[in-house]
Amino acid sequence: MTGKSFGQFITQISVEELAQRLSAGEPSLQLVDVREPQEVAIASLEGFVNLPLSQFADWADQIQTRFDPHAETFVLCHHGIRSAQMCQWLIDQGFTNVKNIAGGIDAYSNLVDPSIPQY
């Protein structure tokens, strides 16, 4: 078969697994939050770099220099839809180890850390 495959399966990580990985303090993890700055101001997780999808044009050309395309990369949003879009885009850019955080920060607040505000 020739040609590019579209709609490649995106690997997901549960919020419980995310919490374990974050608490292990793995230095090689790349953490990206694609929510809007006003959403991040309400609720956020430490260590995530905010790259709002709405500002894609501002940061898209820096992605290869700011991040290692082969390092494990977790992508977060509110419920997991925007982060899935970002994961697909990163895969298209040649990233090889991208994981969508299933349920987003909403699920993290519900299932892991109720001190994180919901909105």
Side-chain angles (χ1 to χ4, degrees), residues 32-102:
V32 179
D33 186 334
V34 297
R35 296 175 301 140
E36 296 303 304
Q38 60 269 26
E39 292 179 274
V40 174
I42 297 168
S44 63
L45 297 178
E46 195 175 327
F48 279 78
V49 175
N50 185 217
L51 297 176
L53 271 193
S54 66
Q55 297 170 25
F56 177 81
D58 296 337
W59 52 256
D61 58 349
Q62 304 164 14
I63 207 80
Q64 297 286 354
T65 52
R66 290 181 67 181
F67 297 95
D68 176 351
H70 303 297
E72 194 167 15
T73 306
F74 296 159
V75 186
L76 177 74
C77 71
H78 192 199
H79 290 114
I81 307 300
R82 285 174 286 176
S83 52
Q85 293 172 330
M86 178 67 165
C87 286
Q88 186 62 60
W89 183 78
L90 287 170
I91 291 165
D92 291 344
Q93 302 309 303
F95 279 68
T96 57
N97 194 356
V98 179
K99 294 186 175 124
N100 185 30
I101 300 167

